[in-house]
Amino acid sequence: MTKHQFEAEKFPPEIQEIADRMNIEPDRIPPYQLPELPFSDTVSADEFLGRVRPELVRIMADNMYGPIPPHCDELVFRPRSEGMAFDGLAVRREIDIVCRHRGQEQVLHLLLYIPANRSGKVPVFFGLNFKGNHACTDDPGVTFHPFVRYPDSWTVRFNDNRAGEDARGIAKNGWCFEKVLRAGFASATIMFHDICPDRQNSFDRSIMRLFYDRSEWESPNRPFGAISAWAWGISRAIDCLEAQEEIDRTKIIVHGHSRLGKTALWAGANDTRIALTVSNGSGTCGAKPACRYYGENFEWIRLWNPHWLPESFRRWVGKDREIPFDQHFLMAAVAPRLLYVSDGTDDVYADPPGSFEAASAASRAWKIFGKTGLGETVMPPPGQLIGDQVGYYLRKGGHAFNPENWDALIRFTSAKLK
């Protein structure tokens, strides 16, 4: 969210007071130092993978995200439709991922486009979407899945922004399926509400009901949150993509924007099948370090979206600069696989300089494997793609993922993975 967009919001005085406590003045950033990563430069690659990486994931689970639920008892991939799309450029395949556990069932609707003129197996981009599969493309063959719209919430900004049937293609600039397909990649998506509605009162329609009781979800000691639920859904999408004969299972790319950028990072740290983890504008609890007290803070996250994280996260509210870990721990857990971070110049609450600094600091993990990581300590100007196993791209503009972002990401992925 840009400064202009944020200031345009109309909050009650008690909420505005909390909003005003967020610092968006660079010259008012207090002195800070990123916490030291919990490994030495002399640790071996085997030791990193066997001991250090699990410890990094544990630290982030215990302090921020909570555990990701286990695999469900039964997973069924039920074909829904298949046909040609984009004037013969792609095969469109829709698959219902049926997740069954403890006698309950949740269905995730996956949309997959595969290049029609491929040679062998192809890499695939996967990302969760905000508005519905049909909103990501104007392809008339994509199924609209009816939904019950949640009423606006009393809290800060909880409007149900899913797209109605008449809004087909409204979010297509964030997906650019045809651009991705022409570059030789498959592309897939699931609406994130299929996994867990982005609401405090989401339990009855969330995958969490498959694993936990309502009393656990409503408990003041709730040990899990929606970000872990969404990360679980990403792993079930990967299960399905691996089962498609056209997909190269060694080249699965997971991308996400904003809260789904946070989710992509958490999924990438946990699921080692992800070859490239992509985070855009993910901000606090994503790529942005908390100790650099600038932009969105823990207090605001806790007020605005308390369901994203475990109830135990409340102990860090107001203590952003005191935490003994930070987001470079999360990024380091992705090593030695590929990582890509991007931001918009005007997305001040996501703190692009902080995200760059965290990505640079995390690069120590890649050096253990004889690799470079980001290889830069000076933030690039807008429009300049940099990095080796860790990529970074800064785009002019605000809180969005658009065709320019796709151009840069495709360049990075084609050079490093394809």
Side-chain angles (χ1 to χ4, degrees):
M1 185 185 295
T2 66
K3 179 178 179 182
H4 173 74
Q5 290 170 323
F6 194 90
E7 290 178 344
E9 300 289 344
K10 303 297 183 184
F11 299 136
E14 66 276 12
I15 292 178
Q16 188 62 52
E17 181 181 352
I18 295 173
D20 291 342
R21 283 202 284 268
M22 288 185 283
N23 173 39
I24 52 173
E25 301 298 334
D27 59 358
R28 293 179 56 199
I29 299 173
Y32 70 94
Q33 185 173 357
L34 292 179
E36 187 71 16
L37 286 164
F39 58 86
S40 71
D41 294 339
T42 59
V43 69
S44 70
D46 287 344
E47 188 177 2
F48 182 90
L49 293 174
R51 178 184 63 82
V52 176
R53 196 193 78 82
E55 177 64 8
L56 291 168
V57 172
R58 184 199 64 78
I59 290 169
M60 301 309 296
D62 289 352
N63 290 283
M64 185 162 288
Y65 304 106
I68 293 177
H71 207 294
C72 50
D73 290 337
E74 184 181 7
L75 200 63
V76 177
F77 308 134
R78 187 169 62 203
R80 172 176 286 271
S81 73
E82 184 163 324
M84 301 303 293
F86 307 127
D87 296 324
L89 177 63
V91 175
R92 179 206 324 107
R93 186 173 297 161
E94 294 182 302
I95 305 167
D96 288 348
I97 302 174
V98 184
C99 311
R100 298 187 179 118
H101 197 76
R102 300 199 308 176
Q104 299 190 80
E105 179 177 294
Q106 188 94 354
V107 180
L108 319 180
H109 304 296
L110 183 134
L111 169 64
L112 170 63
Y113 288 111
I114 304 167
N117 296 321
R118 63 191 176 277
S119 176
K121 295 180 182 292
V122 294
V124 60
F125 284 98
F126 174 80
L128 299 176
N129 73 74
F130 289 103
K131 295 181 180 293
N133 293 352
H134 69 293
C136 301
T137 173
D138 51 16
D139 175 5
V142 174
T143 302
F144 167 71
H145 297 283
F147 57 86
V148 176
R149 190 178 293 280
Y150 287 97
D152 291 352
S153 171
W154 62 268
T155 192
V156 185
R157 295 181 66 253
F158 257 149
N159 297 328
D160 189 332
N161 68 352
R162 287 174 291 174
E165 189 169 10
D166 60 346
R168 183 175 299 270
I170 193 173
K172 66 180 181 179
N173 282 344
W175 292 86
C176 295
F177 286 127
E178 292 178 71
K179 183 189 293 287
V180 174
L181 289 158
R182 289 193 180 95
F185 297 91
S187 191
T189 188
I190 290 172
M191 165 63 182
F192 77 141
H193 273 237
D194 285 0
I195 305 162
C196 180
D198 192 12
R199 311 286 294 193
Q200 290 178 250
N201 57 343
S202 64
F203 181 79
D204 288 341
R205 299 186 183 185
S206 165
I207 61 98
M208 289 303 196
R209 67 190 171 84
L210 276 61
F211 304 98
Y212 307 105
D213 297 329
R214 173 180 286 280
S215 59
E216 293 176 276
W217 177 259
E218 295 177 348
S219 167
N221 298 313
R222 173 173 54 85
F224 41 77
I227 288 176
S228 281
W230 297 328
W232 183 93
I234 288 174
S235 289
R236 302 295 74 77
I238 292 173
D239 293 337
C240 182
L241 292 170
E242 286 187 322
Q244 310 307 306
E245 63 179 12
E246 303 92 340
I247 299 301
D248 185 341
R249 61 192 302 166
T250 70
K251 297 177 180 178
I252 294 173
I253 306 121
V254 169
H255 60 96
H257 167 63
S258 194
R259 68 200 65 186
L260 299 180
K262 308 179 203 298
T263 303
L265 286 170
W266 185 224
N270 281 273
D271 195 328
T272 57
R273 296 174 298 174
I274 299 171
L276 167 58
T277 300
V278 179
S279 166
N280 180 75
S282 58
T284 301
C285 305
K288 164 186 150 33
C291 69
R292 187 182 135 90
Y293 200 73
Y294 180 83
E296 200 170 40
N297 61 19
F298 285 169
E299 183 182 31
W300 187 254
I301 290 285
R302 173 72 180 167
L303 169 71
W304 182 17
N305 293 296
H307 60 287
W308 286 359
L309 302 165
E311 281 297 312
S312 59
F313 177 72
R314 66 182 180 272
R315 73 183 183 273
W316 297 121
V317 172
K319 298 180 179 179
D320 308 52
R321 296 168 57 206
E322 301 172 27
I323 59 174
F325 62 96
D326 219 320
Q327 300 312 108
H328 56 312
F329 283 43
L330 176 64
M331 295 183 193
V334 174
R337 294 166 290 127
L338 296 169
L339 174 68
Y340 182 96
V341 177
S342 57
D343 289 294
T345 55
D346 299 335
D347 196 4
V348 295
Y349 286 93
D351 186 15
S355 296
F356 173 82
E357 181 178 357
S360 181
S363 293
R364 268 187 58 202
W366 278 263
K367 292 177 182 177
I368 290 168
F369 297 88
K371 301 178 183 295
T372 305
L374 184 58
E376 300 283 350
T377 58
V378 177
M379 191 173 183
Q384 181 178 328
L385 174 62
I386 64 167
D388 200 346
Q389 295 78 32
V390 178
Y392 186 83
Y393 186 76
L394 183 66
R395 170 188 51 79
K396 287 185 177 180
H399 192 59
F401 195 80
N402 64 22
E404 179 185 338
N405 289 108
W406 275 111
D407 288 338
L409 178 55
I410 289 169
R411 290 203 311 273
F412 181 84
T413 308
S414 296
K416 308 297 181 181
L417 189 63
K418 197 171 176 186

